[in-house]
Amino acid sequence: MTASLPDHSLVIQCRGLIIHHRDHWWLVEFPHLKRDLQRHRHPARAYLLSGRITTEFAKRAGLETGPRILLPSVAMLHPDQTCWAGNFELRPTIATAKPDQIDYDINAHVFHGSADELEERLARAMIEITLFPIPMEFTSVFTALPDEDVPVLAIRVSSYVCATFELLTARYMPTYRPRSPWRDISNESVFDSGAEVLGWMHADDWIRPR
């Protein structure tokens, strides 16, 4: 049986962050990064990478100067980093009609520097919501955000293996803490006690001042 060849019509060209998360390399697309307006810095999509770069790119980058003992890998591009920004071209590794079953090799890369803390956290949140789609009753933080300083029921990936998600009462407070806007009831960053918030829903009947 002949294996299906990659469909190069599915080549992706975008800007974003390369990041290592949950034992895999990912590219999280950011149409606008830190050089652009703050209000536009939301990721658009996460692409699972194979962890490899194409032979053509390896040759252009000078990574195949000796015997091919190991396949050129993403980790070889910037060995001291696990997250960085740039412009990228991705090629699918397999031919399939289901985009969620495709992973990608990197075929081109223009390095833009390190990601800042907020971009990295947003990228990890986008990967989490890709791996663990939130229940439809919740609004994704990448779709809309609640009114400022209004308590809502928030959802995030649980730190415990007995549950996929956990719920908490939280407030979105970007004016108070632009780089860590999700705060719990005690006004601490929700990130200090677990994962980033992935979604939210109004719960006025349950959450209201006494």
Side-chain angles (χ1 to χ4, degrees):
M1 181 176 178
T2 303
S4 298
L5 295 175
D7 182 359
H8 293 311
S9 68
L10 299 176
V11 166
I12 304 294
Q13 293 181 329
C14 65
R15 65 191 305 191
L17 303 185
I18 292 286
I19 187 168
H20 195 262
H21 185 72
R22 291 190 180 271
D23 298 323
H24 291 282
W25 286 100
W26 297 78
L27 171 62
V28 179
E29 181 180 359
F30 277 77
H32 303 279
L33 288 169
K34 59 188 174 185
R35 297 165 182 80
D36 304 299
L37 295 176
Q38 175 82 13
R39 61 190 177 91
H40 291 310
R41 291 168 61 191
H42 276 177
R45 180 176 171 179
Y47 297 95
L48 176 63
L49 302 180
S50 67
R52 301 183 299 271
I53 63 179
T54 64
T55 301
E56 297 94 325
F57 180 35
K59 290 178 179 178
R60 295 196 305 270
L63 297 176
E64 280 198 351
T65 56
R68 291 189 61 192
I69 300 173
L70 297 174
L71 290 174
S73 67
V74 174
M76 296 170 64
L77 294 174
H78 300 285
D80 59 337
Q81 297 189 49
T82 58
C83 182
W84 66 87
N87 280 22
F88 304 92
E89 180 180 285
L90 308 181
R91 285 188 181 177
T93 60
I94 57 175
T96 176
K98 297 181 179 180
D100 60 346
Q101 295 180 0
I102 297 175
D103 62 1
Y104 295 85
D105 293 340
I106 297 180
N107 188 54
H109 167 28
V110 178
F111 181 63
H112 284 176
S114 300
D116 70 17
E117 178 186 358
L118 178 59
E119 289 168 349
E120 182 173 346
R121 286 167 55 184
L122 288 172
R124 294 187 189 279
M126 175 56 75
I127 296 169
E128 295 288 76
I129 210 168
T130 300
L131 292 172
F132 308 105
I134 60 176
M136 61 182 301
E137 293 84 1
F138 289 86
T139 300
S140 165
V141 295
F142 300 120
T143 300
L145 291 164
D147 292 335
E148 186 164 350
D149 203 15
V150 175
V152 296
L153 190 63
I155 187 170
R156 64 183 179 182
V157 173
S158 176
S159 303
Y160 302 96
V161 296
C162 61
T164 302
F165 298 109
E166 60 186 35
L167 306 180
L168 67 157
T169 304
R171 293 175 293 168
Y172 183 67
M173 303 174 67
T175 301
Y176 175 63
R177 285 288 190 271
R179 291 189 172 276
S180 186
W182 283 99
R183 319 300 292 184
D184 62 20
I185 291 302
S186 63
N187 217 27
E188 299 296 326
S189 170
V190 300
F191 189 65
D192 291 344
S193 62
E196 292 282 0
V197 170
L198 301 182
W200 59 277
M201 65 182 294
H202 291 295
D204 296 341
D205 291 340
W206 309 333
I207 307 170
R208 58 175 180 261
R210 288 186 294 182

